[in-house]
Amino acid sequence: DMKIFVSSFAEVLCYLLCFLNLFSSSMCATPYKFFSTKTPYAWVHQSSISETVEDELYYLKELKGMSCSAVHANAVIRHGSRFPGFDDVQRISSIHEQLLTVMEPNINPDLYNWVNKFPSNNNKVLSHVGELEQEVLGRRIAKKLSTLFAEEEPSNFRFIVSSQERTKQSASAFYEGFSSAIYGAEESDNNFDYEVNDEVMRFFGLCAKYVYSVDNNKTAFDEYYAFLSNEKLIQIKEKVEKKLDIKGDVLTTANVRMIYMTCGYETSIYGSSPWCSLLEEADMEILEYLGDLKHYYKNGFGYPITWQQSCPLVSEIFSTMDETIMDIENAEEDGGVEGFLVGQFAFGHAETLGPLYSALGLFNDSEPLKSDNYDNHKHRLFRTSQILPFSANIMFILYECVPDEFGEDEEIEEADYYLKLLVNEEPKLIPGCEEL
């Protein structure tokens, strides 16, 4: 109803103003912006609020003596910011109920009077923040490749999602921004269709070896559990207990991790959280590393099967680009270049993008992340807050290149094709290549 709409609008506005530093720090209670894979995109990527330059990516300017223009864009995008899952909603309520039995009301009144606002029936569905992330991402990509996408028929775009509702919601919000930038707002919600394909977007649930040896195998996460019981985590727990003036047998280090995650979820969705008051920035840095350890072994370089299982997705990306090149060349021989796929956008999960990054050799630290080398990884490449936030994205842009001396009307026997890689809208060197 209208009350809910106004509340949501106000929360989104506060979220944006806080990020743009237009409110004072006291009004924007986000002491730390890094919450591992639960980090909103705008908190860590300046591109989400910087001015978008039209056709910024349409021309490949790095190649001397060549004239290159984009002919195809192929992106894999994580779903937008979401509500916590039902289990986490119950966990934080349970922790709060425990604290009510042992803490004094005046110690932390905001926390004592806290009410769990997370809907228990919204099991990991997109929040309004996630919808906004995806909509503006779609608009930015459309604008950066305006000439490529302009006046293209909807049939020349392909949208792929997983069977999970949050990826469908993300694709829909993305398309709203994307199509409004191409066709205008009046046509933005027409002709949208998507393909559900878990083989490429949720391969991690279909690969039996991965499910058995990693995902459902607690020993595969030994480094994570070792760090969870590390002295650093125990010290954070003791500091929280001291702040609440409670005994040391009430909370566990796992509870502290849940408090950290709730701080991130609530600040993202509702603008602030009393749970944040229990943690200092140094504590959150350590808890962020705990999250990175989990995802390093679940979605990263921890085990070969983790990245090997992304083969269906890698194959889909590159076979689609090969087919596009064939379609372009066949069309040019027939005297036209109409009807080829100019854009493919696939919406998945952190468990989709993480193995893809690893398969491509991206964000590979020279020293593996472990429970006993936290101090060596202050500047790690595999930092999920930066590389796997909500709405994380990886995009390949395929360029057709011809020598500068060729005129528009001259026939070219064979064009050259080049790839540009962007991760979270920033150019990234493809491992094995000498230049961007």
Side-chain angles (χ1 to χ4, degrees):
D1 59 13
M2 181 59 70
K3 184 178 179 182
I4 294 173
F5 171 79
V6 171
S7 173
S8 295
F9 176 79
E11 287 160 359
V12 172
L13 183 62
C14 178
Y15 165 79
L16 290 173
L17 291 175
C18 285
F19 185 76
L20 290 165
N21 295 319
L22 298 179
F23 279 178
S24 66
S25 58
S26 62
M27 296 178 72
C28 303
T30 314
Y32 193 67
K33 294 184 183 296
F34 304 100
F35 290 89
S36 187
T37 58
K38 306 305 184 286
T39 306
Y41 190 74
W43 287 4
V44 288
H45 290 292
Q46 189 69 18
S47 59
S48 63
I49 62 164
S50 58
E51 184 178 354
T52 303
V53 178
E54 189 163 352
D55 270 339
E56 179 182 347
L57 298 173
Y58 182 65
Y59 298 102
L60 187 64
K61 301 172 183 177
E62 291 85 352
L63 289 177
K64 302 298 181 184
M66 301 288 281
S67 178
C68 304
S69 56
V71 292
H72 176 83
N74 198 308
V76 180
I77 302 167
R78 188 189 176 198
H79 61 76
S81 292
R82 62 166 174 80
F83 286 98
F86 183 58
D87 288 346
D88 283 344
V89 172
Q90 288 186 309
R91 285 188 188 104
I92 195 60
S93 286
S94 176
I95 292 169
H96 188 251
E97 288 168 8
Q98 269 184 291
L99 292 177
L100 289 181
T101 64
V102 293
M103 67 180 282
E104 296 295 328
N106 62 335
I107 293 292
N108 191 324
D110 288 341
L111 184 60
Y112 190 88
N113 296 313
W114 174 82
V115 175
N116 193 335
K117 294 189 286 185
F118 295 127
S120 58
N121 60 336
N122 277 1
N123 192 11
K124 299 184 179 181
V125 300
L126 237 58
S127 68
H128 52 267
V129 174
E131 291 175 356
L132 182 64
E133 283 174 350
Q134 292 287 329
E135 183 182 342
V136 295
L137 176 62
R139 189 177 294 116
R140 282 197 306 274
I141 289 177
K143 190 173 180 181
K144 290 177 182 179
L145 289 165
S146 177
T147 299
L148 172 61
F149 298 142
E151 300 179 10
E152 288 289 342
E153 293 294 324
S155 59
N156 292 339
F157 300 102
R158 180 186 296 152
F159 295 89
I160 303 172
V161 299
S162 81
S163 57
Q164 298 298 303
E165 188 63 27
R166 56 190 176 275
T167 65
K168 300 171 187 176
Q169 293 174 313
S170 295
S172 181
F174 177 94
Y175 184 77
E176 184 175 341
F178 182 80
S179 59
S180 66
I182 297 172
Y183 307 118
E186 293 181 3
E187 302 293 328
S188 63
D189 60 349
N190 295 335
N191 302 312
F192 175 60
D193 196 14
Y194 56 75
E195 167 194 339
V196 178
N197 190 334
D198 277 349
E199 185 179 344
V200 297
M201 302 316 297
R202 286 183 66 83
F203 49 77
F204 50 90
L206 301 175
C207 176
K209 183 177 179 180
Y210 170 77
V211 172
Y212 172 77
S213 63
V214 179
D215 202 28
N216 289 345
N217 179 14
K218 189 174 180 179
T219 61
F221 299 96
D222 281 349
E223 295 295 336
Y224 167 81
Y225 288 109
F227 197 66
L228 190 62
S229 59
N230 184 284
E231 184 62 30
K232 294 181 187 295
L233 269 293
I234 293 171
Q235 288 174 359
I236 296 172
K237 180 181 85 77
E238 290 172 348
K239 283 196 287 184
V240 170
E241 290 163 345
K242 187 175 181 181
K243 285 183 178 182
L244 294 174
D245 193 23
I246 61 176
K247 294 180 180 179
D249 60 351
V250 178
L251 296 174
T252 66
T253 53
N255 292 155
V256 171
R257 176 179 176 269
M258 192 66 244
I259 288 169
Y260 162 73
M261 290 174 63
T262 305
C263 165
Y265 273 125
E266 285 201 319
T267 306
S268 162
I269 297 170
Y270 304 120
S272 64
S273 172
W275 295 100
C276 298
S277 64
L278 302 181
L279 300 168
E280 298 164 12
E281 186 166 315
D283 303 330
M284 291 187 174
E285 288 180 8
I286 292 168
L287 288 161
E288 182 190 10
Y289 185 74
L290 176 67
D292 288 351
L293 270 177
K294 175 184 175 182
H295 290 285
Y296 185 82
Y297 292 94
K298 182 178 182 179
N299 301 322
F301 291 97
Y303 303 102
I305 186 59
T306 304
W307 58 263
Q308 288 170 352
Q309 65 170 332
S310 69
C311 182
L313 176 58
V314 176
S315 177
E316 168 68 27
I317 292 169
F318 287 96
S319 63
T320 297
M321 289 191 287
D322 284 342
E323 290 168 10
T324 299
I325 292 172
M326 290 177 60
D327 289 343
I328 292 170
E329 292 180 343
N330 290 336
E332 286 174 345
E333 288 178 9
D334 296 336
V337 288
E338 299 296 324
F340 65 91
L341 193 69
V342 295
Q344 176 168 291
F345 304 97
F347 297 82
H349 308 264
E351 296 88 346
T352 312
L353 267 75
L356 177 59
Y357 288 160
S358 301
L360 296 171
L362 299 169
F363 311 113
N364 190 6
D365 292 279
S366 57
E367 182 181 357
L369 274 64
K370 293 189 175 182
S371 58
D372 61 359
N373 63 3
Y374 166 76
D375 293 327
N376 298 349
H377 283 299
K378 293 293 181 69
H379 304 288
R380 60 192 177 277
L381 300 175
F382 194 88
R383 189 178 184 188
T384 55
S385 299
Q386 292 281 359
I387 67 174
L388 275 176
F390 289 124
S391 294
N393 52 89
I394 181 170
M395 183 165 68
F396 290 95
I397 304 176
L398 182 67
Y399 293 89
E400 185 180 49
C401 301
V402 297
D404 281 338
E405 60 265 23
F406 280 85
E408 287 187 10
D409 298 328
E410 293 185 68
E411 289 190 15
I412 302 165
E413 289 188 8
E414 188 173 337
D416 291 325
Y417 292 89
Y418 288 83
L419 271 184
K420 187 181 187 74
L421 172 65
L422 296 102
V423 178
N424 297 321
E425 301 177 79
E426 297 293 333
K428 202 77 184 170
L429 183 67
I430 300 173
C433 295
E434 295 179 359
E435 56 188 19
L436 289 173

